Amino acid sequence: MTTTAISTYHALTEAEAIALAAGLFPAGTDLECQEIGDGNLNYVYRVSDRASGKGVIIKQALPYAKVVGESWPLTLKRAAIEAAALRKHGEYATDLVPEVYGTDEELAYTIMEDLSHLTIAREGLIQGKEYPKLSNDIGEYLAQTLFHTSDFALHPFEKKRLAAEFSNPELCKITEDLIFTDPFFDYETNDFEPELRQTVEAIWHNDRLKLEAAKLKRSFLTEAEALLHGDLHTGSIFADDNETKVIDPEFAFYGPIGFDVGLFIANLIAQGITRNGDGRGTIVGHIENTWQVFETRFTELWENEGIEDFKKVPGYRESVLDKVFKDTLGFAGCELIRRTIGLAHVKDLDGIEDAAVRIESKKQALRIGETLILKRSELTSIQDVTALLKEL
Amino acid sequence: MTTTAISTYHALTEAEAIALAAGLFPAGTDLECQEIGDGNLNYVYRVSDRASGKGVIIKQALPYAKVVGESWPLTLKRAAIEAAALRKHGEYATDLVPEVYGTDEELAYTIMEDLSHLTIAREGLIQGKEYPKLSNDIGEYLAQTLFHTSDFALHPFEKKRLAAEFSNPELCKITEDLIFTDPFFDYETNDFEPELRQTVEAIWHNDRLKLEAAKLKRSFLTEAEALLHGDLHTGSIFADDNETKVIDPEFAFYGPIGFDVGLFIANLIAQGITRNGDGRGTIVGHIENTWQVFETRFTELWENEGIEDFKKVPGYRESVLDKVFKDTLGFAGCELIRRTIGLAHVKDLDGIEDAAVRIESKKQALRIGETLILKRSELTSIQDVTALLKEL
């Protein structure tokens, strides 16, 4: 399934990167180039003005993924999906995604706004940062991007055109396997400490939990509600105290709205587990505020910009948001479980140095994950969710 | 949104139709051609051997639809969708769809098996025919086509490729408007006798009903579960006592499984309303048998051919079928309402000559439609559905 473009595809040289970026600077600017990616999935070139330091980013997809030491082929088409998603989401959340200056499908690169003055939110949160604007901005981002790409805002021809354009089978398959399937079975992609084996085996034998996971997987496979980011964890967000930018939407596709909301909230929960006292309170506040801002803005957009004939029918908006809320909890639960025992972990939990605390924290993550999946019909407010974190 | 092919598109002449079909007959066969379509949406040419009478059908899409005396442009792409759906469904329900011999996208025609020895099921049912194989065959058709094109049977790459191939925005829009929207509002496409006005206005003011209709519309817009026929009423079925063939899948797209099941059952209900005694009993039997055969065969396919990792989790298949059942009832309810007061009626009800009986029958159709929509969570078996017909 890798694209034919691989035959002409090659990794950009630094000189090529400079040439591609040159047009974005005044003629004669003295430019330099640094490759600053981690080399697992993409090259990331920063081309900058030696004098002012001002730069742009060129992100180029690798034709394979390196995970746990192995490589497997991965479609280059994801670069085009990512660029198109940044542009589409940028129409509705202009200040919350990097600007795209150019893109090339064959060489699988995107030239975009340089965000190196910001830090990855996960890294900052692990260092104890508060990011006071984070939940306001992400709540706004979620409402704007998800509402505006849904049937509530788009003519059905445009919505279906976008759904076909953003068909993203290979990246979706990664999610289908790693979030919704593998962690619930004794499959070899799973990765966890021996001390967790008993807890993990209990998951593999918990038919009630697996039934709910199966339903959530089915929602992910079938429900084309809005153009999702598709991988909205705290590592996909650049931030500082004043700014928030959502990056890396290469998993973008038409899916259930609650998936984006749930992934973000799950990653906040994973961070909250590692904190105590006021530190945890900050995270609790972000979780509650994310949902509240999302719900409030979604409601305003529904009322002011909604095109659905049934939009004024009493209870309809509430019923839509209720579905999104329950989906959010279920997807958050799956994300917490897979980030603890699946292939791809989070540094928040893995980075806890004290082994006993780390194991106990992971058990807490698994327990909250299970509760969110199993009790998502009973938990009726975001405070019911954060109570799980406060109770630890 | 009509295709560019219109510039080269032209209605086939009878001589062209004969030339296109000639290769399907022995060299030198003396062929004749008759145009036998109703001229509203398509030309239908029957090319046959003068000596033996054996023929083939060439169906050519018109670049517009004639409805209630007006014309509006309608994509020619529907011919390609129809041919592709016949072929795809034919892979799984070989004997239950016409064989496709050839197709041309630019001229928007499909050459297919001649079924003129059969009658349209709606016409036969109106004449009181029993069609003893009808519900067995349609139950089988539904299970085979819907299971095999779902995520339960297809690799996700193939499912998503098909979902994009069968993106069918223009024809879906007709359904979105005429089934799910217009009948619930005082819109000008609606068409009903003055004697029904009070009942119809009660529908327009029934917020509980409209809330449920909105949810069903949303399912139709977002839930890409399987490759549907998309318009499976009794006028899309050719039958006699021994054979059943499903035709005209030009509305095919990836949608909720219950939509196909629900449309068929709604049209049986509309026919059942017009009958009494044993005649009604036959229809009750067909409704119950359709669901039972569908459920039984879907279950067998799930167990024998299902590829979903979660397929053996206790309760998962039941939960999927429970959703399909509730969707079926809701969609059937919408179909009953729109076939009574919307733009496109059914001859079963419109053809009742006695005005008082016709109005009363239509009120029964509306009442059953409302009940199916509002009570779809309480009606737990297909016998609960047919009880509504028996109680009349």
Side-chain angles (χ1 to χ4, degrees), chain A residues 266-279:
Chain A
N267 281 270
L268 288 180
I269 292 173
Q271 171 55 218
I273 288 171
T274 72
R275 296 185 175 201
N276 294 304
D278 288 352

Side-chain angles (χ1 to χ4, degrees), chain A residues 1 151-152 155-157 159-160 167 169-170 172-173 176 180-181 184-185 187 207 210-211 213-215 217-218 221-225 308-310 313-316 319-320 323, chain B residues 1 151-152 155-157 159-160 167 169-170 172-173 176 180-181 184-185 187 207 210-211 213-215 217-218 221-225 308-310 313-316 319-320 323:
Chain A
M1 287 295 288
D151 285 295
F152 304 120
H155 188 285
F157 293 175
K159 187 260 182 148
K160 290 175 178 83
S167 177
E170 290 188 59
C172 282
K173 178 87 165 60
E176 290 153 22
F180 291 109
T181 310
F184 297 96
F185 295 90
Y187 286 175
D207 281 336
K210 288 167 82 168
L211 174 59
K215 291 179 192 170
K217 179 181 179 184
R218 184 160 187 260
L221 282 163
T222 60
E223 294 175 359
E225 295 178 352
E308 171 56 59
D309 298 71
F310 288 94
V313 172
Y316 186 37
S319 132
V320 167
K323 175 188 185 293
Chain B
M1 288 292 289
D151 285 295
F152 304 120
H155 187 286
F157 293 176
K159 188 259 181 148
K160 291 176 177 83
S167 177
E170 290 189 59
C172 282
K173 178 87 165 59
E176 290 153 22
F180 292 108
T181 309
F184 298 95
F185 296 89
Y187 286 174
D207 281 336
K210 288 168 82 168
L211 174 57
K215 292 180 192 170
K217 179 181 180 183
R218 183 160 187 260
L221 283 164
T222 60
E223 295 176 359
E225 295 178 351
E308 171 55 59
D309 297 71
F310 288 94
V313 172
Y316 186 35
S319 130
V320 168
K323 174 187 185 295

Side-chain angles (χ1 to χ4, degrees), chain A residues 17-49:
Chain A
I18 288 175
L20 289 172
L24 297 164
F25 295 88
T29 306
D30 183 17
L31 296 173
E32 62 179 344
C33 176
Q34 269 189 298
E35 205 285 304
I36 57 172
D38 61 8
N40 279 334
L41 285 163
N42 304 287
Y43 298 110
V44 181
Y45 306 90
R46 181 169 187 271
V47 178
S48 60
D49 178 344

Side-chain angles (χ1 to χ4, degrees), chain A residues 82-121:
Chain A
E82 175 173 339
L86 285 173
R87 283 178 158 146
K88 178 50 67 180
H89 287 161
E91 288 177 30
Y92 310 116
T94 314
D95 297 337
L96 300 172
V97 298
E99 189 176 349
V100 172
Y101 305 126
T103 182
D104 183 285
E105 201 152 337
E106 198 165 301
L107 287 168
Y109 69 73
T110 302
I111 313 180
M112 65 181 106
E113 189 178 350
D114 178 24
L115 301 170
S116 3
H117 62 291
L118 305 176
T119 51
I120 290 290

Side-chain angles (χ1 to χ4, degrees), chain A residues 302-349:
Chain A
W302 177 289
E303 279 165 11
N304 299 328
E305 301 182 37
I307 61 164
E308 171 56 59
D309 298 71
F310 288 94
K311 80 171 190 177
K312 289 179 195 247
V313 172
Y316 186 37
R317 178 179 47 72
E318 291 81 351
S319 132
V320 167
L321 281 166
D322 184 59
K323 175 188 185 293
V324 173
F325 184 71
K326 295 194 175 350
D327 288 354
T328 291
L329 305 199
F331 293 134
C334 294
E335 171 75 353
L336 276 167
I337 289 174
R338 77 94 169 211
R339 289 294 194 180
T340 309
I341 65 172
L343 179 69
H345 289 201
V346 288
K347 200 170 155 186
D348 312 60
L349 296 170

